Amino acid sequence: MAQLWSALKSGPNYLDILDQRVLPGRMHYWRCHSGDEVVEAIQSLAVRGAPLIGLAAVYGLWLYALSMDKESLDPQSMEETSKRLKAARPTAVNLGWAVDRAMAKLPWNAPGQVPAALYELARTMEEEDRGKNARIGMYGANWFDRPVSILTHCNTGSLATAGYGTALGVIRSLMNQGKLKAVYADETRPLLQGARLTAWELQQDGIEATVIPDAASAFLMQQGKIDAIVVGADRIAANGDTANKIGTLMLAVLAKQYQLPFLVAAPTSTLDLTLAAGDQIPIEQRPPKEVAEIAGQRIVPQGTAVWNPAFDVTPAELITAIVTEYGVVYPPLLENLSALKSS
């Protein structure tokens, strides 16, 4: 039975964030008392995963509103805070989607009620996300008619969502249905989210997983050990191009070479119909030291340049289908995604 780890825990005037930078070595919650602390947590990857950082940002708005008196709390000050939160990580559209949804619901005719309204919305969005994840997992698992070995990338479970997960939710549902033969998890550069987080989550569920270097995925497919690739997404453009953790594009190209299904599991809040194609998706650049150093020890020669994009974009033509909370979407993705979003 999948365990839904609580990556966010709220108190009377604080938000505890499970610090993912120190997993799997220890479980430590970072206590945030302000919106700016939540911004820092998002930027530093103490909290990560597209759906989860959106939820954290709404709690960040709540903390900001809670810290202000009624006379100081006004739309302009909230807007400034919301901009800082949305700018914390530019690629994941869920972040801006969640903040904009919260800002649109604020009762400015009664400023004293703003904190309570934000807190209630954050709790509601958590419940909604758990329900979406459960449905994504069900639809994704039902897509397979036999036991399969799955390769996944990055971390897309309870540490990236309000619970259960997207791509990892599909894997959990496969396990529950008795259709999971094996799981292979890419270590996922640059911060090893697969090796540290996905492997840890699956271990808590009693699901055996094998961690592989990102560069070993082609050899694994060549040996016939993979039946399908299932990944998450941080933003999906109108034409179905998909941004996800760096290395995802490589897997999609390999899946085509070895004629394997390549599934993207994501809630419809990840769709961004304002962008026609993936080349318009902003790609976050991470600090060079994340590649140049290991445990504080520099491994790249001083003076050597480091290029460290956090995401890449997979063209829609390489994606077999997108699994959403409403069902599985097939090509032509542009028409079908648009119809799904407007339904």
Side-chain angles (χ1 to χ4, degrees):
M1 182 66 180
Q3 300 191 36
L4 305 184
W5 295 95
S6 299
L8 301 178
K9 294 181 179 181
S10 58
N13 62 347
Y14 62 83
L15 177 68
D16 281 345
I17 292 175
L18 181 59
D19 191 342
Q20 299 186 32
R21 299 170 303 176
V22 298
L23 286 172
R26 63 191 180 102
M27 291 185 68
H28 168 72
Y29 281 88
W30 175 354
R31 180 156 294 184
C32 297
H33 288 97
S34 69
D36 286 338
E37 286 181 298
V38 174
V39 169
E40 184 182 354
I42 294 171
Q43 289 177 328
S44 68
L45 297 184
V47 59
R48 44 150 298 282
L52 192 63
I53 62 176
L55 290 171
V58 177
Y59 277 112
L61 286 173
W62 164 65
L63 290 175
Y64 174 78
L66 204 61
S67 68
M68 305 294 287
D69 57 44
K70 283 189 265 187
E71 288 72 27
S72 302
L73 189 61
D74 57 57
Q76 183 176 353
S77 66
M78 287 294 295
E79 183 64 30
E80 291 172 356
T81 299
S82 73
K83 287 179 179 179
R84 289 197 298 275
L85 285 161
K86 289 196 292 185
R89 297 197 72 191
T91 301
V93 72
N94 301 68
L95 179 56
W97 169 84
V99 171
D100 289 343
R101 178 179 172 184
M103 291 294 290
K105 291 182 175 292
L106 295 184
W108 286 116
N109 58 328
Q113 297 178 19
V114 167
L118 283 168
Y119 184 78
E120 185 60 30
L121 178 61
R123 296 300 296 266
T124 297
M125 290 173 68
E126 280 193 85
E127 289 303 313
E128 289 176 354
D129 191 59
R130 291 189 188 99
K132 290 177 183 178
N133 293 338
R135 293 193 296 275
I136 288 170
M138 177 192 67
Y139 286 123
N142 290 347
W143 193 83
F144 297 97
D145 59 5
R146 59 186 175 85
V148 287
S149 296
I150 300 294
L151 173 64
T152 193
H153 192 67
C154 196
N155 172 261
T156 55
S158 296
L159 293 172
T161 65
Y164 206 66
T166 53
L168 208 53
V170 173
I171 289 171
R172 285 173 162 140
S173 292
L174 282 168
M175 181 69 175
N176 292 339
Q177 293 182 12
K179 294 192 295 189
L180 185 65
K181 290 197 300 186
V183 180
Y184 293 89
D186 280 344
E187 61 184 356
T188 314
R189 295 291 177 170
L191 291 182
L192 306 178
Q193 289 96 327
R196 294 189 304 106
L197 306 180
T198 295
W200 180 80
E201 277 202 56
L202 292 174
Q203 189 178 69
Q204 310 312 306
D205 287 350
I207 300 175
E208 292 186 6
T210 301
V211 173
I212 66 168
D214 291 4
S217 55
F219 190 38
L220 196 66
M221 294 181 209
Q222 187 186 58
Q223 291 190 331
K225 293 185 177 181
I226 299 299
D227 297 308
I229 295 92
V230 183
V231 301
D234 285 80
R235 189 182 301 231
I236 302 173
N239 70 338
D241 292 350
T242 302
N244 194 50
K245 182 60 63 179
I246 189 74
T248 304
L249 171 59
M250 175 180 69
L251 293 180
V253 172
L254 290 169
K256 181 178 181 180
Q257 169 67 23
Y258 291 104
Q259 299 181 330
L260 297 172
F262 184 90
L263 301 181
V264 173
T268 53
S269 58
T270 306
L271 303 182
D272 185 355
L273 300 185
T274 68
L275 301 183
D279 58 4
Q280 299 173 9
I281 297 175
I283 299 299
E284 175 188 355
Q285 294 290 327
R286 299 294 302 172
K289 71 176 184 179
E290 292 177 353
V291 173
E293 298 179 3
I294 293 180
Q297 179 68 41
R298 189 171 181 90
I299 60 171
V300 175
Q302 290 286 352
T304 300
V306 172
W307 185 53
N308 188 23
F311 304 91
D312 55 27
V313 177
T314 299
E317 59 265 25
L318 296 179
I319 298 171
T320 304
I322 297 177
V323 185
T324 77
E325 71 271 28
Y326 296 110
V328 181
V329 181
Y330 297 95
L333 293 173
L334 176 59
E335 291 84 352
N336 292 338
L337 283 173
S338 298
L340 187 66
K341 186 70 172 179
S342 59
S343 64

